[in-house]
């Protein structure tokens, strides 16, 4: 994670795939399922018409299995489409950030309640979503969010005003366990402040990293030669 914190996002045209691909796949899956159901229904009607005394238990089992598989496939397709949509939004934000500074190190994150409160204090008009991105550069750390199609820089912390970087055990909710990265710094008015955030496992992912080698390595890399107390 330290040497390869993120991958440069690929443009959709690189492999000839467009943003409508997940929707198109979902439509194909839906029509395949409908075709299977119709085939079973027509077969059952024909069997009943041609041989009324035939045991139809096979068709009942086949229909139940096909309905269960169809519902499962649709649920999986919807979840996957949402994941792809989130990843593309993160990639769009990464591209926008790198147009400004191509050297930054991007870390997909999720805000903590403390970070939300700090943002409300600094910028009352901003309401953080579930996914944000930290851009760590040579001179500063900046918090970004994709507002519709516009990349918005919400918070900037100069490394010269950073005091400490560490980990804090937090509970993000819903029974999940995660660990937050805490950036202790000094504001421009010389007052102390802290910005905490969870690290997402990957762009587009909702899974948060717990305490372990990846987070510890992240903290070491952020703290190395960047702390001025």
């Amino acid at each position: 994670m330290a040497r390869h914190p993120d991958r440069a996002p690929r443009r959709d045209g690189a492999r000839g795939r467009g943003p409508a691909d997940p929707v198109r796949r979902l439509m194909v899956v839906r029509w395949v399922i409908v075709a299977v159901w119709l085939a079973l229904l027509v077969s059952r009607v024909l069997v009943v018409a041609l041989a009324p005394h035939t045991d139809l238990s096979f068709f009942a089992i086949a229909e139940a299995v096909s309905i269960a598989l169809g519902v499962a496939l649709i649920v999986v397709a919807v979840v996957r489409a949402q994941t792809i949509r989130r990843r593309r939004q993160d990639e769009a934000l990464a591209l926008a950030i790198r147009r400004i500074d191509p050297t930054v190190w991007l870390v997909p994150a999720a805000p903590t309640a403390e970070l939300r409160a700090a943002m409300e204090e600094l910028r009352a008009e901003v309401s953080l979503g579930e996914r944000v991105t930290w851009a760590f550069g040579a001179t500063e750390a900046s918090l970004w969010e994709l507002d519709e199609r516009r990349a918005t820089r919400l918070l900037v912390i100069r490394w010269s005003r950073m005091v400490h970087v560490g980990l804090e055990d937090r509970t993000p909710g819903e029974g999940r366990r995660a660990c937050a990265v805490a950036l202790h710094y000094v504001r421009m008015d010389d007052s102390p402040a802290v910005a905490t955030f969870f690290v997402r496992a990957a762009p587009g992912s909702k899974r948060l990293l717990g305490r372990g080698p990846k987070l510890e390595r992240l903290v070491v890399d952020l703290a190395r030669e960047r702390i001025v107390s």
Side-chain angles (χ1 to χ4, degrees):
M1 183 173 180
R3 296 185 179 179
H4 304 283
D6 57 358
R7 297 181 179 179
R10 293 176 299 206
R11 297 181 184 274
D12 291 331
R15 294 188 179 181
R17 295 179 180 178
D21 275 353
V23 178
R24 191 177 300 114
R25 293 193 196 101
L26 181 58
M27 291 287 290
V28 170
V29 170
R30 186 183 69 179
W31 286 115
V32 168
I33 293 170
V34 170
V36 172
W37 288 347
L38 286 176
L40 287 172
L41 179 60
V42 171
S43 300
R44 183 168 184 164
V45 171
L46 290 175
V47 170
V48 171
L50 299 175
H53 302 293
T54 303
D55 185 6
L56 299 179
S57 57
F58 168 77
F59 286 99
I61 296 174
E63 288 172 358
V65 171
S66 64
I67 290 173
L69 289 177
V71 171
L73 285 174
I74 290 175
V75 171
V76 170
V78 169
V79 172
R80 179 169 173 77
Q82 291 176 347
T83 300
I84 293 174
R85 190 180 301 112
R86 289 195 302 264
R87 187 176 70 237
R88 284 178 172 163
Q89 289 174 349
D90 279 356
E91 289 176 349
L93 178 59
L95 283 172
I97 296 172
R98 283 205 169 100
R99 287 192 185 100
I100 299 173
D101 186 355
T103 66
V104 293
W105 169 11
L106 303 180
V107 175
T112 61
E114 188 175 43
L115 183 58
R116 292 183 188 277
M119 289 306 306
E120 288 179 1
E121 180 182 351
L122 293 173
R123 302 181 62 175
E125 75 281 3
V126 174
S127 179
L128 290 181
E130 293 298 322
R131 302 190 316 279
V132 292
T133 297
W134 279 96
F136 298 113
T139 61
E140 66 183 26
S142 54
L143 178 67
W144 295 74
E145 187 177 36
L146 193 64
D147 181 12
E148 294 182 353
R149 295 186 177 182
R150 182 181 60 184
T152 304
R153 184 163 57 177
L154 303 174
L155 177 65
V156 177
I157 305 174
R158 306 291 293 183
W159 287 117
S160 59
R161 306 190 69 83
M162 193 70 64
V163 178
H164 176 71
V165 179
L167 294 176
E168 297 180 1
D169 290 321
R170 297 290 185 92
T171 303
E174 300 178 0
R176 296 178 296 172
R177 299 181 63 183
C179 189
V181 177
L183 304 176
H184 297 264
Y185 64 101
V186 179
R187 295 192 185 102
M188 297 304 296
D189 60 358
D190 291 333
S191 61
V194 59
T196 59
F197 60 93
F198 300 111
V199 178
R200 289 183 282 129
S205 174
K206 287 186 175 181
R207 187 170 67 88
L208 306 178
L209 293 181
R211 186 180 290 271
K214 290 185 177 180
L215 275 185
E216 292 171 0
R217 183 63 180 173
L218 170 63
V219 169
V220 170
D221 285 342
L222 292 180
R224 182 182 294 132
E225 300 179 359
R226 296 181 177 184
I227 303 301
V228 179
S229 55

